[in-house]
Structure formats: C-alpha cells, structure tokens
Amino acid sequence: MTTHTATNPSYDQLPIIDLSAADRGPQARALLHAQLHSAAHDVGFFQLVGHGVTRAETDALVSAMRAFFALPAADRLALDNVNSPHFRGYTRTGDERTQGARDWRDQLDIGAERPAHVPAPGEPAYWWLQGPNQWPAALPELRTAALAWIDRLSGVAGRLLHELLAAIGAPADFYDPVFGESAHPHLKLVRYPGSAGDGTDQGVGAHKDYGFLTLLLQDTVGGLQVQREDGLFHDVPPLEGAFVVNLGELLEVATNGYLIATNHRVVSPPGATERFSVPFFYNPRLDARVEPLPFPHASTAPGITDDPANPLFAEYGYNELKGKLRAHPLVAERHHADLLSPA
C-alpha cells in the first residue's frame, strides 16, 4: 500500500508533481503516488510538470488569447454572454460575481462545441449548459487554438485523474464512464486589467471549483492565492512550464472529504498591470452521478464540507448550474428567471 506522508508545511510554493514519473518504472511511479496522495489529501493544490504539453502548443493559445483581448471593445461585446442561455461568450469586466461581489476581470467562456440542448418538460434544467460557443469572426485562429487546448488538456487531466485515484488505492478507471465523448469540459480565457481603482482588489473572490480537476495556465504576473492548512491565503508563485492543479468539489464528494476542494482567489495586479490566465475545468457529463469511490482510506474520511450557502450535489449538472446562476446574474435574469430563488 502507498505510504502517506504529511506535506512539508512550507508555504513558499505548492507541492510540485512530475507526471512523467508514471512512465519511469515502478519505483518512480510509487514515489509519484506518495507525493500525489499527500498533495491531494493535505493541500488540494499542486504544480504539475512533466505533462507533455509543449511550449509551441501553449504559445499558440496564449497568442490567440492576447489577440482576442486586443480586439476593439465592440468586437468583444458582440459575443456578450448575456446573449447566450448556455453561459457561453464574453463577460465584461465587473459583470461576474463571486460571493455576491464583482470580479474585476473580463473573460471568454468556452465549452465543447455542441448543439443547444433546450430541456424538454421533465428534463433537468442543467441541460441549458450545453450549447454552442460564441467566436469572434475576425479571429478564426482563436476557435482552432481553444478547441485544440480543450482536447489536449482533457487528455492530460484524464491521465492525471487515473494516477491520483491509483495513488489513494482506488481503481484508476473508476470514473471513466462519466467522461468520454459526452464530458462537459470548460475553458476560460481571462484578463485581469489591473486594480479597480476604488480600493477593492478582488480579481476573483474566494471560491472552490465545481468539477473534478482544474488545470490553470498562469502568466508571470502572479496574484493567485490558495488557502492553506493555517487558514490563511498564500501566494502561488508562477512556475515556468507548470500547470497549477486543484481538486474540484466532485472529488471531495467522491471521497467523502478525504480529498479536498480548496478555497482560492486572485488578487488584482497593481495599477494598470494586466494578468492573463487560462483555467481548464475537467468535468464529467452533465447527467453524471458521482458514485462514492471505493478506496482503503474511506473509513478515515471526515465527510464533505458543510456549507449551507454552497450545497454540494452528486449529480454534476446541478453543481455547475448552481454556480453559473450565482456567478452570472445578468445571464440568469435574462434567460433563467424561473430558476432563481425568490428574494
């Protein structure tokens, strides 16, 4: 059985996990599993290297993203997500909310390119989350780069999830049936334009992610902070070539709290400094029910986080819809007023 050692309590950097160690023989893989087990159980966050994504692949995405944010405002606003009942498209600075407060960033939300699924009578409302993306006509390379990134990172995240489950003694392929062709990946292209100018510094407020795994590409500016074991938020220094990985709420549900979804936030960069980041969310099918994971440490699991303001659902679509209605009030009011709780 894999040994489990406590995380070094240094907060200068997250644990660093080298995924390529899985291919370097039994001893290297066993060490990888011990490190992955500790990082996922104790911190819920780590830096991932050895993932195989090349500099050329990254540059193609980053250059298309920077070109998008350099478009005239009218071109970006033509993709306003208020026009999409599927929560796809462009969100102008200040229109997204975390814990009721505005996030000082603008972004483009992209998912798998699929036809709209308008829920039929009796079907769950979360099917609204499936639908087409909105793309800038002036920048066809963005569509190519973004959809290629979704495919590439889906492969990396799937491999990482297998190693993570094996690391805690679970069947590596246990959740394969809830992914596949109908998985619901989500990509954000995000720009933080600098400080809001009114004394608030919330780039994005403290939150947890809805799905299984998040792989974040961040630039060199910094600003991401993770809540560590001491209860304080600590900076995550950018690491060249690494993805910052965090566990989502579904892995906390799946392991009854043995693996943790950790609060994190972004502090706006100072002055007019821009920060760019690309979070990729590895999510299962909308109608996936997350069955409890069979693993040898289940008896020591503390239970999932009990937060009445943030209930966790085992059926993934409800978990994401809950978050989207809260984060995008303008879209919710225009298209989904019937799903909003009365004041």
Side-chain angles (χ1 to χ4, degrees):
M1 188 173 89
T2 303
T3 57
H4 172 234
T5 54
T7 302
N8 184 323
S10 167
Y11 296 136
D12 293 340
Q13 181 56 277
L14 294 173
I16 298 172
I17 301 294
D18 182 356
L19 189 56
S20 68
D23 300 324
R24 292 205 291 270
Q27 193 169 351
R29 190 166 183 240
L31 180 58
L32 165 68
H33 284 177
Q35 294 169 335
L36 197 47
H37 185 162
S38 175
H41 176 61
D42 297 333
V43 187
F45 258 87
F46 50 90
Q47 297 267 22
L48 186 73
V49 299
H51 43 68
V53 178
T54 67
R55 180 67 179 265
E57 290 172 300
T58 302
D59 286 350
L61 180 75
V62 169
S63 110
M65 170 175 66
R66 285 179 173 270
F68 171 73
F69 286 111
L71 289 173
D75 287 18
R76 285 178 276 126
L77 287 170
L79 314 181
D80 197 326
N81 73 344
V82 173
N83 299 321
S84 168
H86 319 294
F87 297 88
R88 303 291 175 87
Y90 178 69
T91 305
R92 70 184 86 197
T93 304
D95 274 4
E96 189 175 14
R97 300 286 189 273
T98 301
Q99 295 187 347
R102 67 178 188 180
D103 294 325
W104 200 246
R105 61 180 187 174
D106 59 344
Q107 65 189 33
L108 187 67
D109 280 281
I110 303 164
E113 191 67 78
R114 297 195 183 117
H117 183 159
V118 176
E123 279 194 311
Y126 57 64
W127 285 115
W128 279 113
L129 298 171
Q130 178 177 307
N133 296 298
Q134 298 192 73
W135 302 106
L139 202 62
E141 62 268 33
L142 180 67
R143 183 184 194 276
T144 303
L147 294 180
W149 193 256
I150 286 174
D151 285 346
R152 187 73 168 92
L153 263 64
S154 291
V156 173
R159 185 173 174 223
L160 175 60
L161 181 60
H162 277 196
E163 296 300 335
L164 174 56
L165 297 185
I168 63 170
D173 60 355
F174 187 77
Y175 289 117
D176 284 7
V178 302
F179 285 95
E181 290 300 307
S182 299
H184 188 73
H186 178 209
L187 177 67
K188 283 179 182 280
L189 307 180
V190 185
R191 174 180 60 178
Y192 297 87
S195 61
D198 61 0
T200 61
D201 64 355
Q202 176 170 303
V204 60
H207 67 285
K208 300 178 180 184
D209 295 340
Y210 320 135
F212 269 78
L213 292 168
T214 302
L215 278 66
L216 173 75
L217 176 69
Q218 63 168 341
D219 66 11
T220 58
V221 172
L224 174 65
Q225 296 183 334
V226 171
Q227 191 171 31
R228 300 294 296 267
E229 301 93 322
D230 61 357
L232 303 177
F233 282 88
H234 294 268
D235 290 326
V236 178
L239 186 64
E240 175 70 28
F243 291 115
V244 181
V245 176
N246 64 282
L247 279 55
E249 292 173 338
L250 290 188
L251 272 172
E252 184 172 316
V253 170
T255 61
N256 197 29
Y258 185 79
L259 300 181
I260 52 173
T262 305
N263 271 320
H264 53 288
R265 67 188 185 188
V266 173
V267 175
S268 292
T273 305
E274 285 186 316
R275 174 183 186 263
F276 293 90
S277 71
V278 186
F280 168 78
F281 304 93
Y282 186 57
N283 304 325
R285 299 189 328 256
L286 287 169
D287 60 350
R289 284 196 66 79
V290 180
E291 300 298 332
L293 185 68
F295 68 111
H297 307 280
S299 62
T300 67
I304 62 173
T305 305
D306 181 19
D307 180 357
N310 183 37
L312 302 184
F313 299 101
E315 194 164 346
Y316 173 65
Y318 288 119
N319 222 36
E320 180 165 330
L321 182 62
K322 164 200 73 179
K324 286 287 201 292
L325 292 170
R326 209 162 45 191
H328 296 280
L330 300 180
V331 180
E333 287 160 16
R334 176 177 287 194
H335 298 285
H336 305 297
D338 57 316
L339 302 178
L340 299 175
S341 301

